[in-house]
């Protein structure tokens, strides 16, 4: 199953993705996203420093304003 990185504060999303069988990695620092197929972020601190380094080639989903189920649907639609 796909490896999905999820920001620490999104515990409900982490749980929902685990229940669907995804390998969930908690994103504590940038390097945690390195081998993830997809990452879910809160969007609250989106690019505050203007940096453009990327640590993952996978999709990035901004979960701001979305339910855990909506995030799961987004993850499923972006992974093969």
């Amino acid at each position: 199953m796909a490896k999905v990185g999820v920001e620490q504060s999104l515990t409900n999303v982490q749980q929902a993705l685990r229940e669907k069988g995804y390998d969930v990695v908690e994103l504590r620092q940038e390097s945690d996203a390195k081998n993830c197929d997809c990452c879910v972020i809160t969007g609250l601190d989106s690019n505050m420093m203007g940096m453009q380094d990327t640590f993952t080639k996978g999709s990035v989903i901004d979960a701001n304003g979305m339910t855990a189920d909506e995030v799961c649907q987004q993850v499923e639609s972006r992974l093969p």
Side-chain angles (χ1 to χ4, degrees), residues 14-15 26 32 34 37 40 45 51 54 62 69 74 80:
Q14 291 176 18
Q15 182 178 350
E26 196 170 279
D32 292 337
K34 192 170 185 177
D37 299 302
V40 180
D45 57 358
M51 300 173 81
T54 56
D62 183 348
D69 287 335
Q74 286 290 314

Side-chain angles (χ1 to χ4, degrees), residues 1-76:
M1 188 54 82
K3 187 174 186 179
V4 181
V6 182
E7 271 192 27
Q8 284 180 285
S9 61
L10 297 171
T11 53
N12 59 334
V13 173
Q14 291 176 18
Q15 182 178 350
L17 289 168
R18 282 189 180 108
E19 287 173 5
K20 291 188 175 283
Y22 289 100
D23 180 13
V24 176
V25 175
E26 196 170 279
L27 298 177
R28 294 187 183 124
Q29 56 192 13
E30 295 169 349
S31 60
D32 292 337
K34 192 170 185 177
N35 295 315
C36 292
D37 299 302
C38 183
C39 292
V40 180
I41 62 169
T42 61
L44 297 177
D45 57 358
S46 181
N47 203 12
M48 288 176 57
M49 298 182 67
M51 300 173 81
Q52 294 187 11
D53 299 346
T54 56
F55 283 87
T56 183
K57 301 230 185 269
S59 295
V60 176
I61 298 169
D62 183 348
N64 190 23
M66 297 170 70
T67 66
D69 287 335
E70 290 170 333
V71 172
C72 289
Q73 289 172 2
Q74 286 290 314
V75 169
E76 290 168 357

